[in-house]
Amino acid sequence: MAENLPERRLHSGIDRVLRVILVAYAVFQIYTAFFGSLEPLIQRGIFLGLGLGSIFLIIRLRAGGGKHPLLADLASIMLALAGYYVCFHVAFSATRLSDFMVDLTWSDRLLGMAAVVIVLEAARRTIGWFLPLLALLGIGYYLFGHQLIDGTWQPPPVSLLTFIETYYASTETIFGYMVDMGTRVIAIFIILGALLLSTGATEIFIKLATIIAGRSYGGQAKVCTVSSALFGTVTGSAVANVMAMGPVTIPTMRRAGYRGSFAAAIEAVSSAGGQIMPPIMGAGAFIMAEILNIPYSQVMTAAIIPALLYFTVLWFSVGMSARRLDIRPLAASEMPHWRELVDPYTALPMYLPVVSLIALLAMDYTPTLSGSVAVFVLLGTLLVVRSVRCLLEEGPRGLIGTYRTLLGEILEGLYSGGKAIAMVAVLLACAAIVVKVLTATGAGVKISGFILSLSDENLVLVLILTAVLAILLGMDVPTTASYILASAVAGPILINMGIEPLNAHLFIFYFAIMSAITPPVCASVYAAATIAGENFWKVAGHAVVMAIALYLVPFLFIFRTGVLMEGTAFDVIYDTTATGLAVVSITCASAGYLLGRMTWPMRVILYVGGGMLFYPAIWTDTAGLIVFAAVAAMSWLHGSAARHAEAAVDAKEDAR
């Protein structure tokens, strides 16, 4: 134990310093979100610097141990200091570097090369090898491709000085628009989510979900689905969703009668869907609004029906599985009382910030201002309601303790938010390196041309290849990175083929989300399997089967645009109804239950009927509706016959 004492003391000191830095990091983001950003290089330099340096300490404290723990600690501290310095150097030198005629000093050049290396190493420690390796290969192609490659794929020549100027000493790459989106928009929503959770939102979400879904078949699993949807509007992260809700929902579903692997799959798929759930979608949605130069409220509005379709699939999947397995709804005694959801002391601080956020976004205020106002509404409401409660229950003498507790919760939320922002900052900087390679070398255009030639410019094949690309790029990286990379390559193709930009980008974003639950590498499935203690492949298999209909939904963004609130009211209602019936058909066919248990021939017929409803034509919609009605009747008759047979057997046994 004595040997570990210096390490424990060092970790304790690092933790205290890191908490101060990350709380200050979050406060800086709140301040600049409300009062306005600083000069671009200063704002982005501070944002990336605090994140890049802190991430090494965050990862080291989380990992701990190792063969040479003291050396690992010292290495992490040195990398952290280097990460802080290379970015703060840009912030401190912003005026000089902003001069178009500036000549970079040798220290600028050395720090520029160091910054790229540190970003890649930070990304490797945070999200694994895939994205940093892709960035490293891209840099090699950018710098040396002209000497090593001939023909169409040969990039233009570039000097090391130009590389450093482009990637470091400018607002083009590492300190470019992606990091700008991180500091201006994404960070404030991460902080809002962290503060909501640290002050009690998780309990409210679960109670609200239980009241909504608990008394229906599969209520335990539907509670997971609804709570993950609500939670996802705050976090916008699949893995964060799983890690926060999984330890509660997965054991609950197991006790109800679901197999552990199936319960883990429900949590994984539900958590992934939180990223497309308005009002606070995944970080990629904010980047989408920036790329398309449209209000975020427009993205949010278009995503409402796709989000409802996503969770409709899960609702029916778990509900029909529960009926097939005869898993009963929650008992009335297990249900929370609705008064708990309107208790002003606990519920009001959760509702007011979200309502104010939605209202401001609907009025086309910027996401940055809307998010910062929601943070202040949350803090103000918490202060008022807890002060009133304390005065009514304990009197003035209890105020000091109340404020101390509230301050602790707020600081914990700011600390958690700071950690999450640091990871996003590193991710965005690394993704920016790859995107810059695609644009500076023309590789993005060449890949687009390759996809077009491979598909013979057939729209359906282009969409399928784009979906595969988004899922492949999502291997071992968060949805945001997958969306950024796939949209840089495939977005222009889809738009040039006549698809509306928002529809094209939502198609890519949706499949980037699906990469979180698609084998062989699917982060949310892995997290859920770890919590449940189940085999990864079993959980992944259940997740894919459960989500079969979800893989078809994005194609409707192109062929049934009413689901994105486009067209007349009739178009929206008609397309949504046809699509809803299609996903219900395929989901019930996968679950093996509609109005009763279905035989395999019934399931196959229902799959065909659901597929017909996906095709946008009157005759296919009519045929699909007839098939659905016929299979529903057959399943009811089959189930009724089975129930009568079981009743007859039970009667004979009772007679004996």
Side-chain angles (χ1 to χ4, degrees), residues 473-499:
L473 290 174
M475 292 193 305
D476 205 28
V477 300
T479 298
T480 305
S482 173
Y483 163 70
I484 290 170
L485 299 179
S487 64
V489 174
I493 302 176
L494 300 181
I495 293 169
N496 289 335
M497 294 189 76
I499 297 172

Side-chain angles (χ1 to χ4, degrees), residues 1-16 60-61 69-71 73-74 77:
M1 294 297 292
E3 294 178 358
N4 294 327
L5 186 59
E7 184 186 355
R8 289 203 304 272
R9 286 179 174 173
L10 181 59
H11 280 197
S12 178
I14 292 173
D15 182 63
R16 285 196 294 270
R60 180 56 197 156
L61 288 178
L70 190 57
L71 287 176
D73 290 341
L74 292 175
I77 291 172

Side-chain angles (χ1 to χ4, degrees), residues 235-421:
T235 65
S237 168
V239 176
N241 241 353
V242 172
M243 299 308 293
M245 306 301 292
V248 177
T249 58
I250 292 174
T252 301
M253 287 186 279
R254 269 180 154 165
R255 287 193 296 270
Y258 289 100
R259 283 178 294 173
S261 56
F262 190 73
I266 293 170
E267 178 57 51
V269 180
S270 301
S271 295
Q275 297 173 95
I276 201 171
M277 189 70 184
I280 309 173
M281 301 161 63
F286 295 108
I287 294 174
M288 185 191 308
E290 184 77 5
I291 292 172
L292 299 177
N293 194 27
I294 59 176
Y296 172 70
S297 58
Q298 189 175 337
V299 177
M300 181 179 69
T301 302
I304 291 174
I305 294 175
L308 293 176
L309 289 171
Y310 189 104
F311 286 99
T312 295
V313 168
L314 295 185
W315 186 278
F316 275 89
S317 181
V318 299
M320 296 307 175
S321 295
R323 287 181 179 275
R324 182 169 53 82
L325 299 170
D326 198 28
I327 297 175
R328 296 291 175 179
L330 287 170
S333 59
E334 299 177 273
M335 297 289 292
H337 199 279
W338 65 268
R339 288 193 184 91
E340 297 178 53
L341 298 180
V342 294
D343 175 15
Y345 298 127
T346 56
L348 200 58
M350 303 302 112
Y351 297 149
L352 280 184
V354 176
V355 170
S356 64
L357 172 65
I358 295 172
L360 289 170
L361 288 174
M363 290 186 286
D364 279 339
Y365 283 93
T366 64
T368 309
L369 179 61
S370 303
S372 62
V373 170
V375 168
F376 285 119
V377 169
L378 171 64
L379 297 178
T381 307
L382 284 167
L383 181 64
V384 171
V385 298
R386 294 204 183 180
S387 297
V388 171
R389 185 172 192 172
C390 177
L391 290 172
L392 293 176
E393 295 179 358
E394 301 178 44
R397 66 181 62 185
L399 286 175
I400 294 177
T402 297
Y403 293 152
R404 186 182 294 119
T405 301
L406 178 58
L407 179 61
E409 292 175 2
I410 292 172
L411 290 176
E412 188 61 34
L414 293 173
Y415 173 62
S416 300
K419 285 198 295 185
I421 296 169

Side-chain angles (χ1 to χ4, degrees), residues 20 27 38-39 56 87 96 128 136 145 283 377 406 409 472 493 508 516 557 569 575 582 597:
V20 172
V27 170
L38 307 177
E39 291 296 320
F56 291 103
C87 295
R96 177 173 62 85
L136 190 60
V377 169
L406 178 58
E409 292 175 2
L472 288 177
I493 302 176
I508 296 168
F557 302 169
D575 286 349
R597 292 174 185 267

Side-chain angles (χ1 to χ4, degrees), residues 48-69:
L48 183 57
L50 290 174
L52 185 60
S54 299
I55 202 68
F56 291 103
L57 303 180
I58 294 169
I59 299 297
R60 180 56 197 156
L61 288 178
R62 182 186 300 167
K67 292 183 179 179
H68 304 287

Side-chain angles (χ1 to χ4, degrees), residues 93-173:
S93 308
T95 302
R96 177 173 62 85
L97 294 176
S98 297
D99 185 351
F100 182 73
M101 302 299 293
V102 67
D103 289 325
L104 297 184
T105 65
W106 279 106
S107 63
D108 292 332
R109 300 178 188 188
L110 290 174
L111 290 173
M113 290 187 287
V116 173
V117 172
I118 293 169
V119 166
L120 295 180
E121 174 59 14
R124 184 195 68 81
R125 295 192 181 198
T126 305
I127 57 176
W129 277 101
F130 180 75
L131 186 60
L133 185 60
L134 190 63
L136 190 60
L137 292 173
I139 291 171
Y141 176 68
Y142 180 71
L143 285 174
F144 308 112
H146 187 75
Q147 289 83 22
L148 301 176
I149 299 173
D150 293 322
T152 306
W153 289 86
Q154 184 182 50
V158 63
S159 67
L160 184 61
L161 178 60
T162 301
F163 169 76
I164 294 170
E165 289 174 341
T166 303
Y167 275 73
Y168 176 68
S170 69
T171 57
E172 291 191 38
T173 308

